Amino acid sequence: MVNMNPILYDLHIHSHFSFDCKSDPKEIIKVAKKKNLAGIAITDHNKVNFHLKEYDNKGLLVIPGIEVSTEKGHVIGLGIKELIERKMSVAETIEKILELGGQPVIPHPFDFTRRGIGKEIYKLKKIPIETQNASCPLQLFNRKAKKWAEKNKLPQTGGSDSHRIQDIGMAFTIFKEELETIDDVLEAIRKRKSSSGGTHLSIPEKIIRAFQIHF
Ligand SMILES: [Zn+2]
Ligand SMILES: [Zn+2]
């Protein structure tokens, strides 16, 4: 069904299953609902949350995921419920995600401060790119990703990459249609029915965030 209001999903959220984050998944779901998101993806570093089904996520589509550390940088697998080996090549990791029925997405490709895959992106075809990541220290990295995606007609996503509960929804993926299942979301991304939007954390906010997380 076509909806006049944009349907927003934050497709890059960390929980306390990531070594560098304290957010409780139950809290994440509560905040995402409060912020009127239609859905979220929990994408922890090299971990999958096996308990996702146990949480009360009525009214919010919760997509299981993982952010894998490949030998060249980060690759997200949406719709993934199994662990994926670290340190494989980008191509091998993408292949594994597809084999498991998930959807690979390249997060923050040009953010060299946060393990973006950098030049590896030029070797990939048709793989969606995250073109708005709220945790990128410079909007320039997002702009560069958007430019590359538009030039090559690649699918686009957006996400907060939040490591703190209050940053959820700062960046998001925009859909024009309501989507009912995880497969619908992945399919809409593949068919380039999504765009990205939102903002990013300022450098002072990033410094504060670093202190809040680690101390
Ligand atoms: Zn990352
Ligand atoms: Zn991340």
Side-chain angles (χ1 to χ4, degrees):
M1 194 209 312
V2 176
N3 195 309
M4 294 308 281
N5 297 314
I7 316 286
L8 307 183
Y9 278 66
D10 184 342
L11 293 179
H12 189 164
I13 296 179
H14 290 271
S15 78
H16 62 203
F17 285 84
S18 290
F19 66 95
D20 55 354
C21 177
K22 289 181 180 162
S23 310
D24 183 330
K26 283 183 204 160
E27 232 7 70
I28 291 174
I29 289 167
K30 218 194 272 176
V31 171
K33 282 186 192 174
K34 222 185 254 174
K35 293 195 173 181
N36 285 324
L37 294 173
I40 58 168
I42 298 193
T43 53
D44 284 310
H45 295 292
N46 306 300
K47 291 215 178 91
V48 279
N49 187 335
F50 299 106
H51 312 287
L52 269 186
K53 271 195 184 149
E54 297 164 23
Y55 306 133
D56 173 22
N57 53 11
K58 230 168 129 202
L60 184 83
L61 192 60
V62 180
I63 303 172
I66 186 168
E67 185 170 21
V68 187
S69 300
T70 73
E71 61 174 7
K72 296 283 185 190
H74 293 170
V75 172
I76 281 180
L78 296 178
I80 289 293
K81 295 180 195 148
E82 287 174 54
L83 279 175
I84 294 173
E85 213 182 302
R86 313 165 56 149
K87 303 284 172 205
M88 291 193 291
S89 71
V90 170
E92 282 166 342
T93 308
I94 287 173
E95 206 173 300
K96 187 73 195 170
I97 292 168
L98 292 170
E99 200 182 293
L100 293 171
Q103 177 58 51
V105 174
I106 308 299
H108 51 73
F110 297 108
D111 187 347
F112 62 86
T113 69
R114 296 168 48 250
R115 304 272 297 131
I117 66 166
K119 287 180 185 158
E120 287 289 305
I121 196 94
Y122 303 132
K123 298 182 192 165
L124 304 176
K125 287 198 175 75
K126 294 186 182 170
I127 305 295
I129 301 187
E130 185 185 67
T131 53
Q132 187 66 34
N133 176 303
S135 298
C136 277
L138 298 172
Q139 184 61 9
L140 174 78
F141 297 140
N142 288 324
R143 273 204 300 271
K144 206 171 163 187
K146 196 165 198 78
K147 214 170 149 191
W148 178 253
E150 279 172 359
K151 188 178 165 205
N152 294 283
K153 297 191 168 48
L154 300 171
Q156 299 186 39
T157 70
S160 63
D161 201 355
S162 73
H163 288 68
R164 288 189 315 180
I165 220 96
Q166 59 265 51
D167 299 336
I168 290 168
M170 274 188 76
F172 38 76
T173 308
I174 309 163
F175 297 99
K176 286 187 187 138
E177 288 178 356
E178 279 177 29
L179 302 160
E180 280 174 23
T181 66
I182 293 170
D183 283 341
D184 290 346
V185 173
L186 304 187
E187 181 74 3
I189 294 171
R190 276 193 289 273
K191 289 190 170 165
R192 296 201 291 129
K193 289 183 175 173
S194 60
S195 56
S196 68
T199 182
H200 76 117
L201 286 165
S202 66
I203 289 175
E205 280 170 323
K206 282 193 73 73
I207 295 168
I208 292 166
R209 192 184 91 162
F211 273 89
Q212 283 177 336
I213 290 167
H214 300 296
F215 296 95

